[in-house]
Structure formats: C-alpha cells, structure tokens
Amino acid sequence: QVQLVESGGGLVQTGGSLRLSCAASGNIARRNIMGWYRQAPGMQRELVADISWDGITNYAGSKRGRFTISRDNAKNTVYLQMNSLKPEDTGLYYCTALSNNRQYWGQGTQVTVSS
C-alpha cells in the first residue's frame, strides 16, 4: 500500500502562484511515476503533469510553460509549481502515484483562483 498526502492548495488571485506538495509513504516502488490531476466541478479528472522516477516529465498542453513538476526521490515527494494562475485552473488537485502497476490517489487539495 502507498499513502499520498497533499498540501499547498488555497485561494489565490489571477496571476498568482501556488506550490503543491505530495508526500508518498508506504511500500512505494523505486521506479514509480508521480503526478497531479485536476478535477473541476462536474468534470472528469484530467492530467496536469507527471514525472517519472528518473525525471522524465509530461505536461498537459495547456499547462506547459506555467506549471513545473519536480520531485525529490530521497523524500518520495512530488511538487507542482503553478505560476500565472487563471480562474480555469480552479479545481481539486489530486496527487497520484503509479507503483508496481497500481495507481494510488491522494485525498486532493483545493485550488481556487479568483478573477
């Protein structure tokens, strides 16, 4: 089992920045992929970005250039730096980890961008 705990969400004005963190604990494989999904009200969960254990990143097209995903393997922690935030970035942000062919999810952290 893998546990994921997110932090760093909140309320920010348009153009502001937030940094999300997600710490993994438990039996997480060394070669894993961690990432972030966003779910807006009434919408499906969608990928924001993910990063492999060796640093290969993948971004949803609309987030590239404004968001940066990174990780600290020693701490089993993944980060999402979000800059130039827009109201359409609002949603519940879930941390995810793919470990030993099983996907795990955190509880989510709310990000609200006011106009």
Side-chain angles (χ1 to χ4, degrees):
Q1 286 288 342
V2 174
Q3 294 80 41
L4 302 171
V5 178
E6 302 107 330
S7 61
L11 173 65
V12 65
Q13 291 185 334
T14 296
S17 298
L18 283 174
R19 188 191 194 210
L20 306 183
S21 300
C22 172
S25 61
N27 191 25
I28 188 166
R30 186 175 68 89
R31 295 190 179 194
N32 61 73
I33 298 173
M34 296 184 71
W36 295 91
Y37 279 68
R38 182 184 73 94
Q39 188 166 23
M43 304 293 286
Q44 288 192 332
R45 208 171 287 188
E46 60 180 10
L47 175 70
V48 175
D50 60 33
I51 182 168
S52 65
W53 65 280
D54 55 353
I56 297 172
T57 58
N58 175 43
Y59 292 91
S62 62
K63 304 299 187 284
R64 190 179 298 274
R66 296 191 297 122
F67 291 10
T68 302
I69 191 168
S70 61
R71 63 186 293 163
D72 183 337
N73 287 340
K75 297 180 180 179
N76 281 331
T77 299
V78 64
Y79 305 96
L80 184 68
Q81 177 67 43
M82 304 186 292
N83 299 327
S84 302
L85 283 161
K86 305 175 182 180
E88 52 263 43
D89 295 319
T90 293
L92 194 56
Y93 282 69
Y94 291 94
C95 177
T96 184
L98 180 63
S99 172
N100 292 325
N101 295 317
R102 182 173 175 179
Q103 191 162 19
Y104 298 88
W105 296 93
Q107 295 293 321
T109 184
Q110 179 68 36
V111 171
T112 303
V113 184
S114 64
S115 58

